[in-house]
Amino acid sequence: MSSIDLSKSSQPSIPGLSSPIPPASIPSTEQLRHKALLVHDRLCAVYGCPIPYFHSLDPLSELVSSLLSHRTRNADSGKAFKQLRQRFPTWEAVRDADTTEVQEAIAPCTWADQKAPRIQQVLRLITERRGELSLDFLADLSVVEARTWLEELPGVGPKTSAAVLCFSQLRRPALPVDSHHHRVAVRLGLIPETVAVGPSHALLEAQLPKDWTAQQVYDNHEVLMLHGQKCCYYRNPQCQRCTVLDLCPAGQARMQTS
């Protein structure tokens, strides 16, 4: 078995970026916050906020779903999750099953041979630490405390902990950042290109108002992700039809040279 760290992702270069921003033009924290809100409002107008939650799982199910989604297309991880639930009636049954059976159930996702034992390990650890197989207790913790607890589990990084809190029935204001979200934020100059997806969570969340609801934080993730999927492509971004082009240093540089 190869030793691939499922909790971290490599940091590919992003096509379409201009040269590094000169120190004199680096925006202040307040300028970044103002810009983040402008971007949010404009993208919400395009993609329609509030955006309905795409599903409503209990937090433990959301954790398993997120672990399956690492480096996997949504359609494939969704199929793997559905097959896992169909094959095993409870998460206790998944925890105690033969690992080969779990691997067979989640075959549609990438690295099923590594994710099967990892998921079982996580389920066992939760049981040992809590005396039961449930994450409902996270509702009684602050967002910071809940994320710290989750990130002590193997394979759980900032994106997964935020997803559990934000996407599940807990509906907490924690900001997940996926590759699309990250790419758009880098091109807009909200974060430096040198900041990887993991560390970007804290920077991007700090730019949002502290009194935002879980729905508003969820909307922010969704609109930036959707913009990356529908306009700000990895290759050949459609800058000419971008609603935030005037806020985007990378897009402006690209338009000038095209």
Side-chain angles (χ1 to χ4, degrees):
M1 181 184 298
S2 59
S3 57
I4 299 173
D5 185 350
L6 300 178
S7 67
K8 296 179 174 63
S9 61
S10 59
Q11 180 67 8
S13 61
I14 299 175
L17 289 174
S18 57
S19 57
I21 301 172
S25 65
I26 295 176
S28 67
T29 300
E30 282 306 312
Q31 288 173 323
L32 286 173
R33 287 175 177 167
H34 178 67
K35 185 175 186 176
L37 290 180
L38 285 177
V39 170
H40 176 88
D41 289 343
R42 289 199 201 169
L43 293 182
C44 271
V46 172
Y47 298 109
C49 295
I51 295 175
Y53 284 89
F54 61 91
H55 62 202
S56 185
L57 299 174
D58 67 87
L60 181 58
S61 297
E62 184 62 55
L63 174 59
V64 175
S65 175
S66 295
L67 291 172
L68 289 171
S69 73
H70 290 174
R71 304 290 190 85
T72 302
R73 294 188 309 140
N74 288 341
D76 293 333
S77 63
K79 184 177 181 180
F81 182 81
K82 183 178 180 180
Q83 290 183 180
L84 188 64
R85 296 311 309 263
Q86 289 175 339
R87 185 155 184 173
F88 300 98
T90 65
W91 292 122
E92 286 81 2
V94 174
R95 177 194 63 197
D96 301 333
D98 184 281
T99 302
T100 302
E101 293 185 37
V102 177
Q103 182 179 331
E104 291 172 354
I106 64 171
C109 72
T110 57
W111 300 328
D113 61 325
Q114 296 182 50
K115 290 178 180 178
R118 171 61 59 80
I119 288 170
Q120 289 184 302
Q121 179 188 18
V122 167
L123 295 176
R124 286 192 294 268
L125 282 171
I126 293 171
T127 305
E128 292 170 6
R129 294 179 183 180
R130 295 296 305 170
E132 61 177 348
L133 194 45
S134 171
L135 292 178
D136 293 347
F137 75 95
L138 295 175
D140 299 324
L141 303 181
S142 69
V143 170
V144 172
E145 290 171 332
R147 293 186 71 169
T148 298
W149 195 95
L150 286 166
E151 289 175 28
E152 291 174 352
L153 298 171
V156 177
K159 179 184 174 183
T160 301
S161 69
V164 171
L165 297 180
C166 183
F167 298 157
S168 78
Q169 295 167 357
L170 293 174
R171 301 291 193 249
R172 305 295 295 280
L175 181 70
V177 179
D178 72 352
S179 59
H180 299 292
H181 185 158
H182 179 266
R183 180 174 67 254
V184 175
V186 168
R187 286 176 174 164
L188 283 165
L190 294 174
I191 53 174
E193 183 183 6
T194 53
V195 176
V197 175
S200 74
H201 283 76
L203 296 177
L204 292 172
E205 190 166 310
Q207 294 172 5
L208 304 181
K210 294 186 183 298
D211 61 351
W212 265 17
T213 65
Q215 178 70 61
Q216 288 171 303
V217 173
Y218 174 76
D219 287 342
N220 185 258
H221 162 71
E222 287 290 306
V223 296
L224 283 156
M225 178 189 71
L226 287 168
H227 198 58
Q229 292 175 333
K230 297 177 181 294
C231 181
C232 193
Y233 306 125
Y234 178 73
R235 300 191 184 280
N236 302 316
Q238 300 297 296
C239 301
Q240 69 278 5
R241 62 178 178 85
C242 176
T243 191
V244 291
L245 176 59
D246 61 310
L247 301 173
C248 182
Q252 292 172 31
R254 188 173 185 276
M255 292 295 287
Q256 289 172 3
T257 58
S258 63

